[in-house]
């Protein structure tokens, strides 16, 4: 996706502005159009607030129309190719384009139940969720009343818009849409960072473990890059698998056979997609500890 | 299996004695016969030593004969029903009677390779091993020379005999054939034993996780019975799965949604079947540690 | 002190019974006298309850008289030798017979303030407190009203009586007047109990550290005897000083010079004199943890 | 002290150069003089190496002379005011100008023993040591032979010179003469950095505890500035005293009275003055752990 600078946006005429930001709110260029008059924007945050205000001030009817422009999750629009490009990428990010038949049936059933209760599509900012979390959201929100769900839909639409702006617009400030997930292995047997420890970073979805990344600790006992950064951390259960047995073998430490600790598993859940999660491992051949650090 | 007391054994005539202990060494009642003269035995340990001495003093030819009386692991004798009752139970304990076709083929190949190199069956005290460990033993011992393997076979036979005596004979002393595996959950958030924590105790075999037992912690944060006691702990990789998320929900502790720690997995290996393993968990909603305790 | 069995007490006539238990309530044999009729007592707990009931049923006037029989803490009676033998031993246990001039002046001032406000001596079961805790109690209870203080005095008198019965009477049951304080050192570098670690067990009083006991860990990493057992643990701040640097030197572990961890200090407070406190140390040359265990 | 830039030094004539660096080696401007010809220096490290080379190439006689220019530690020169300004500041940094009579006598005795054995003053880079460590160095080095001590003296002189250059010369590079000591408090009860925890940072010298700094943790659970940075960390035993009891009271956590953990003491030694030491505390009201982190 080509990005545009905030300065350039501030200088654009109405047509160019709507051309650049028309899809920030799904199939609803009128929001960008209504925002144009508020130029110039001193920050990306100010631009986002202006678009939110445009929706808030547009009245219930246009809000409902905006909501209804959104496709079902894992729905017909996806299969028929009528979904906006942003939505395609977003639904794909969480694997909604690669569902099993059983999962597809579940989504179908929930979409139908939701539409028949509320008359609108179920909207959630999918980049902030793993698949299990989306299903949990679905089930919880089905218990709401219509007013609460219209408000929830708008909240999610504004989150989606923030992420779309974050990807489209270059500015001095950044929207608070990014989480950070990192790890660190400290060898408390030798009193130093543990270097060269293999790490499998996995997501647990639907009871299955999927490896997201395989990496190694560097000289500081950290990974060269954070496990997740510059995007929301999907709400999900994760697992880090640390190859500590092989590490201590390489250190020449006398170990039991097989070693008491071979692969250490640390399973944890992320609940705040925009949060800072540091999950270190302190380890000897006979003991370890882990915690949510900072 | 009916047990006999050491006192009764000490009072038995030769025929009764051989009747009681003839199968302690596989299909080789001559060992019991040769041991009878050494009565009375002051302890079960003395009886075991006397049987070991009887084999040691019998010369190489009878030792080879004793070795050859043993069935293959997961072999033809098992399928044809010609294996001694003790061996049947022992091989069953580690699941050698429930192999997949692939596993059966592996054992078959290793048995053939071993017999063709050494001219004797591969003997291992299976109650001291998980399936993976038996395969690892097989591969290692295939690299030995004949003398080392004859000695290894006798060592294993004496271990098997010790376990058979332990089951058959009631005495004031016990042979050192028992391991002990236990756990303990301490709530370091509330400063007390964690009560009612669900625990799944699993063995990891061939990459698969098999639940051995489901239990709960009691008022002391312990399980009512040790996870393993009064028998060797098979050399294997185990996993404890602690339901700490549900526990803290029940304590009324405010948690993230989903909780940072739902199920804590502690995976560890046992290398000493007769060892004492205590694997506790110290846990808050945000941190935990574990170690080989005592 | 000679002990008497509960059976013997149950068989005693009134005079012998009062002779045996007359000082369980300070200088107030009438309590034992009033309790005699309730014989036989099925347990020590029943005897204690009967003595408590005798006081409860005696009316306010006699209760006040009982309260007034008690000496001041660190007061004139102590210096003039008119204090009961139990009180002498009790006040000595917490060092009230060895006060500095400044401490003596503090107690004198508090005693006077208490007597002038409530008209009774300040009573506290001193065996349940360190010196700092007694002063804290004094200051808190000075803020009570008279009714609350009469009740507090009786509560303390019944605790004192329980400890006196515990020392005087042998019975099948024991009163719940005993705490338990223990420690344990686990070497998580080597994966075994740490043997031969020097431990200084100290009490912090008035800002000063007093060594109560010097000991060593045994083969289980524990001390041969608990640090405190069979008596209340005085409410106080304690410190355990573990000589882990010397221990790891003896293990032949390569250490920094000077070692990162030489003497590990674990300072903690006891708030429940009848509680079970286990304060272990898990330690490598570079890391340690401690917790209130069970 | 006024600093000079490396560029300016590179442009100086001999007299100015010697004027600027003449005291980098104690009372021995000939070293700077001999270094002048090697200009320009591409880095501060290159300048330091050139001064070291000048001494190395000057021959044994001038080296001994350089060594003898150094004052005794805590010696007569200090009292008579004939010591160089750098040495005055250095000896003061470790408190050698504020010795007790007993300490002064100890230094006097060691200086005499050293001079009478080796014929030179005892030289040590005092900024790298606490007082106890200097005495330990003294006692160890007294056991060396003369050749080893001449070499040890030069090594220390070069370390002193590096620190003097570090203070006098501004350059793009920095000499490796700085250590780093920091801490961090993580509340593993609440799953967040512990903010507002009082910290006393102390040095243990001669059995006494001296508070170096009192500070508080900030919103990240860290101190605003490192405990020590931009200078060597003196080899010594340190203690961090964390006011965790008050912290948890402020969090509204229900605590025992007195709280199990009031002030947590973490005592550790620094052995590498140029090392990176991070000493965090993970703490709940009932448990804590600490380690040498990175």
């Amino acid at each position: 996706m080509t990005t545009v600078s905030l300065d350039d946006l501030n200088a654009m005429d109405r047509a160019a502005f709507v051309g650049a930001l028309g899809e920030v709110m799904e199939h609803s260029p009128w929001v960008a159009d209504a925002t144009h008059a508020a130029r110039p924007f001193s920050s990306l945050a100010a631009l986002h607030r202006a678009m939110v205000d445009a929706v808030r001030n547009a009245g219930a009817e246009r809000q409902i129309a905006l909501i209804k422009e959104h496709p079902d999750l894992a729905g017909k629009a996806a299969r028929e190719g009528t979904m906006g490009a942003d939505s395609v990428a977003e639904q794909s990010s969480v694997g909604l384009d690669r569902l099993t038949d059983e999962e597809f049936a579940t989504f179908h059933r929930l979409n139908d139940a939701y539409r028949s209760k509320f008359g609108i599509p179920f909207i959630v900012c999918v980049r902030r969720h793993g698949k299990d979390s989306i299903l949990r959201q679905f089930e919880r929100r089905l218990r709401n009343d219509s007013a609460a769900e219209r408000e929830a839909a708008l909240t999610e639409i504004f989150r989606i818009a923030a992420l779309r702006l974050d990807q489209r617009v270059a500015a001095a400030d950044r929207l608070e849409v990014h989480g950070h997930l990192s790890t660190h292995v400290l060898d408390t047997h030798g009193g130093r960072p543990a270097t060269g420890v293999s790490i499998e970073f996995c997501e647990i979805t639907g009871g299955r473990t999927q490896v997201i990344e395989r990496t190694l600790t560097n000289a500081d006992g950290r990974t060269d890059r954070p496990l997740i950064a510059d995007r929301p951390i999907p709400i999900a259960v994760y697992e880090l698998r640390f190859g500590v047995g092989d590490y201590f073998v390489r250190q020449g430490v006398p170990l039991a056979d097989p070693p008491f600790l071979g692969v250490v598993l640390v399973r944890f859940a992320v609940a705040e997609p925009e949060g800072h999660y540091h999950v270190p491992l302190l380890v000897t051949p006979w003991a370890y500890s882990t915690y949510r650090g900072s």
Side-chain angles (χ1 to χ4, degrees), chain A:
Chain A
M1 185 174 305
T2 58
T3 60
V4 59
S5 75
L6 185 61
D7 287 346
D8 287 350
L9 280 174
N10 279 333
M12 282 180 182
D13 66 15
R14 179 176 303 263
F17 189 85
V18 172
L21 303 184
E23 277 301 314
V24 167
M25 304 275 184
E26 189 86 1
H27 297 334
S28 302
W30 62 266
V31 183
D33 190 87
T35 307
H36 182 255
R39 283 171 317 131
F41 304 103
S42 60
S43 64
L44 190 52
L47 169 57
H48 182 255
R49 273 194 306 273
M51 298 191 81
V52 168
D53 290 346
V55 174
R56 290 283 182 207
N57 297 331
E61 203 170 325
R62 300 202 77 179
Q63 290 170 3
I64 299 282
L66 168 61
I67 290 169
K68 289 189 172 172
E69 286 295 344
H70 286 74
D72 281 342
L73 288 181
K76 212 170 55 171
R79 277 171 300 160
E80 295 179 353
T82 61
M83 198 159 67
D86 291 287
S87 287
V88 169
E90 287 156 8
Q91 296 206 11
S92 157
S93 74
V94 73
L96 296 185
D97 57 341
R98 299 179 301 278
L99 296 178
T100 64
D101 288 350
E102 190 184 353
E103 289 171 332
F104 186 85
T106 300
F107 272 95
H108 195 72
R109 175 178 58 75
L110 289 166
N111 275 322
D112 283 356
Y114 190 91
R115 274 195 182 271
S116 80
K117 175 161 183 188
F118 300 116
I120 55 175
F122 174 74
I123 303 178
V124 68
C125 178
V126 293
R127 288 199 193 271
R128 302 177 74 251
H129 296 272
K131 217 186 305 175
D132 292 353
S133 175
I134 289 176
L135 291 173
R136 222 160 37 228
Q137 290 288 317
F138 232 144
E139 279 156 8
R140 283 183 197 176
R141 286 175 47 189
L142 265 169
R143 295 194 289 266
N144 283 348
D145 63 23
S146 284
E149 268 314 293
R150 271 202 307 278
E151 187 52 35
L154 290 177
T155 297
E156 295 296 319
I157 286 170
F158 300 152
R159 285 174 166 157
I160 294 166
L163 282 165
R164 291 179 181 177
L165 285 175
D166 177 66
Q167 292 191 313
R168 272 177 173 81
V169 184
D173 66 316
R174 304 210 63 178
L175 298 177
E176 289 177 0
V177 294
H178 302 130
H180 196 274
L181 175 59
S182 57
T183 187
H184 180 196
V185 187
L186 198 72
D187 169 358
T188 48
H189 179 274
R192 59 184 158 251
T195 301
V197 177
S198 67
I199 298 180
E200 282 187 355
F201 173 48
C202 309
E203 183 179 340
I204 316 287
T205 300
R208 289 197 309 280
T209 303
Q210 297 185 312
V211 177
I212 300 175
E213 189 186 352
R214 289 189 172 81
T215 182
L216 289 176
T217 55
N218 59 22
D220 290 330
R222 304 178 190 272
T223 56
D224 283 339
R225 290 174 305 110
L227 298 169
I228 290 182
D230 294 320
R231 62 179 176 97
I233 316 172
I235 296 174
V237 176
Y238 297 93
E239 191 170 286
L240 289 165
R241 301 178 164 193
F242 299 94
V244 304
D246 289 346
Y247 165 79
F248 283 116
V249 165
R250 286 195 305 275
Q251 305 305 306
V253 176
L255 298 177
D257 177 22
F260 182 64
L261 298 177
V263 175
V264 165
L265 311 182
V266 174
R267 187 175 286 192
F268 62 94
V270 165
E272 309 160 42
E274 294 80 23
H276 190 108
Y277 286 78
H278 184 57
V279 185
L281 183 72
L282 314 182
V283 66
T284 82
W286 304 98
Y288 63 89
S289 60
T290 187
Y291 51 93
R292 179 172 179 187
S294 68

